């Protein structure tokens, strides 16, 4: 599984947006999280197609567009035309979620579905085969700089179990309140795409990105070692059971 930091430009300095994106690229960041807010699905308004079109000219990063927009079905074609590589829509915002997924797929970009903190995983579990990513909001969508809602951790675990059980290739993205502490929590729970706004952009961008990616690598290594250790324990248990059976059958 690929773990990635997805800096959210909502917290960028818009006066220096192009320059800051260049810094992210230089530091090896591949995903750029782009939050579009319409003042209806969420209280705030951010930016739309012209900004994305403009930064697309200067960047080859993967544009991960998060639509916090009512009836996003209306705008999918526009966002693909201005440079989105993936489009994530909110389950709560769509008139017809299946149709929205189909429109995104037909437009030739990756498909993401997002749920707010109060929406159960169960509401989208029947769609897992049709999407590339599920975005679990870990704050109420609408603003950067909020505190992580701990009750969302359980939803990440639940989603990860479903994905693994069905052996699906679906990324789990988390968005909201990611920092030094919560990064470890969400990665342990099963998330692999970590959106971060204020954590990345407050202070020195270059230093932040470097140290956050280093920390992610460290956590990833620990998780991989734990998986190997559990695998070995499982193998030990399996061999032990075979030996016991062999002996109890008279050897
Ligand atoms: C919030 C947005 C987030 C936001 C996260 O609705 O979807 O992407 O930028 O900001 P932080 O990381 O500061 O919580
Ligand atoms: Zn977002």
């Amino acid at each position: 599984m690929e773990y990635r930091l997805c800096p959210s430009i909502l917290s960028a300095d818009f006066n220096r947006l192009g320059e800051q994106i260049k810094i992210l690229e230089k530091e090896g960041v591949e995903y750029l999280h782009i939050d579009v807010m319409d003042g209806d699905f969420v209280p705030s308004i951010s930016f739309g197609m012209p900004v994305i079109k403009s930064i697309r000219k200067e960047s080859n990063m993967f544009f991960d567009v998060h639509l916090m927009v009512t009836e996003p079905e209306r705008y999918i074609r526009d966002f693909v035309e201005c440079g989105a590589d993936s489009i994530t829509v909110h389950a709560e915002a769509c008139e017809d979620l299946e149709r929205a997924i189909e429109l995104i797929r037909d437009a030739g970009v990756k498909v993401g579905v997002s749920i707010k903190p109060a929406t159960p995983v169960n509401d989208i579990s029947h769609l897992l085969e049709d999407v590339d990513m599920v975005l679990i909001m870990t704050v109420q969508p609408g603003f950067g700089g909020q505190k992580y809602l701990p009750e969302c951790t359980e939803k990440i675990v639940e989603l990860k179990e479903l994905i693994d059980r069905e052996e699906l290739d679906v990324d789990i993205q988390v968005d909201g309140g990611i920092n030094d502490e919560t990064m470890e929590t969400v990665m342990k729970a099963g998330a692999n795409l970590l959106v971060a706004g204020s954590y990345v952009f407050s202070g020195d961008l270059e230093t932040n990105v470097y140290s956050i990616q280093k920390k992610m690598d460290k956590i990833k290594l620990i998780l991989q070692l734990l998986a190997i250790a559990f695998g070995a324990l499982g193998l030990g248990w399996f061999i032990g059971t075979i030996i016991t059976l062999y002996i109890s059958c008279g050897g």
Side-chain angles (χ1 to χ4, degrees), residues 220-250:
K220 177 181 152 185
L221 189 69
I222 293 170
L223 292 175
Q224 284 169 341
L225 289 174
L226 280 174
I228 293 170
F230 278 119
L233 276 177
L235 185 66
W237 175 86
F238 178 73
I239 293 170
T241 311
I242 299 282
I243 293 172
T244 313
L245 282 173
Y246 180 73
I247 293 170
S248 64
C249 291

Side-chain angles (χ1 to χ4, degrees), residues 5 22-31 61 209 213:
L5 173 67
K22 284 274 166 283
I23 294 176
L24 296 174
E25 279 185 332
K26 198 178 123 258
E27 288 302 315
V29 174
E30 287 164 309
Y31 271 48
M61 290 173 93
V209 174
Q213 293 197 125

Side-chain angles (χ1 to χ4, degrees), residues 8 33 35 66 68 135 137 175 195:
S8 161
H33 186 77
D35 288 303
H66 176 194
M68 283 163 276
L135 164 55
M137 286 304 302
D175 185 2
V195 176

Side-chain angles (χ1 to χ4, degrees), residues 68-249:
M68 283 163 276
V69 170
T70 302
E71 284 179 52
E73 299 93 317
R74 297 174 291 160
Y75 302 111
I76 283 156
R77 189 184 290 261
D78 294 327
F79 279 104
V80 172
E81 274 169 15
C82 69
D85 292 302
S86 76
I87 294 186
T88 300
V89 293
H90 270 265
E92 309 88 354
C94 295
E95 274 281 300
D96 181 345
L97 182 56
E98 275 89 346
R99 174 91 187 112
I101 290 173
E102 204 176 290
L103 284 171
I104 303 171
R105 182 75 68 212
D106 289 350
V109 297
K110 299 253 185 201
V111 184
V113 166
S114 179
I115 48 174
K116 297 206 275 188
T119 305
V121 168
N122 203 26
D123 280 18
I124 49 114
S125 53
H126 60 292
L127 298 167
L128 289 181
E129 282 191 15
D130 307 320
V131 302
D132 299 294
M133 173 177 96
V134 175
L135 164 55
I136 303 261
M137 286 304 302
T138 43
V139 296
Q140 295 302 339
F143 301 97
Q146 301 179 72
K147 228 170 154 296
Y148 178 86
L149 296 169
E151 60 269 30
C152 297
T153 309
E154 201 43 53
K155 288 170 68 179
I156 306 168
V157 173
E158 186 187 346
L159 178 64
K160 174 73 177 152
E161 278 171 9
L162 280 176
I163 290 170
D164 286 351
R165 196 182 314 146
E166 303 293 325
E167 296 183 0
L168 297 170
D169 184 16
V170 176
D171 288 314
I172 302 181
Q173 189 175 54
V174 285
D175 185 2
I178 300 303
N179 57 30
D180 265 348
E181 282 168 41
T182 56
M183 182 166 68
E184 198 171 329
T185 309
V186 296
M187 286 176 75
K188 276 187 189 154
N192 65 307
L193 301 179
L194 275 57
V195 176
S198 37
Y199 186 34
V200 170
F201 287 96
S202 312
D204 185 66
L205 180 60
E206 204 169 336
T207 316
N208 290 348
V209 174
Y210 179 79
S211 72
I212 294 170
Q213 293 197 125
K214 272 260 165 307
K215 278 177 202 150
M216 278 183 78
D217 284 347
K218 220 169 171 180
I219 300 168
K220 177 181 152 185
L221 189 69
I222 293 170
L223 292 175
Q224 284 169 341
L225 289 174
L226 280 174
I228 293 170
F230 278 119
L233 276 177
L235 185 66
W237 175 86
F238 178 73
I239 293 170
T241 311
I242 299 282
I243 293 172
T244 313
L245 282 173
Y246 180 73
I247 293 170
S248 64
C249 291

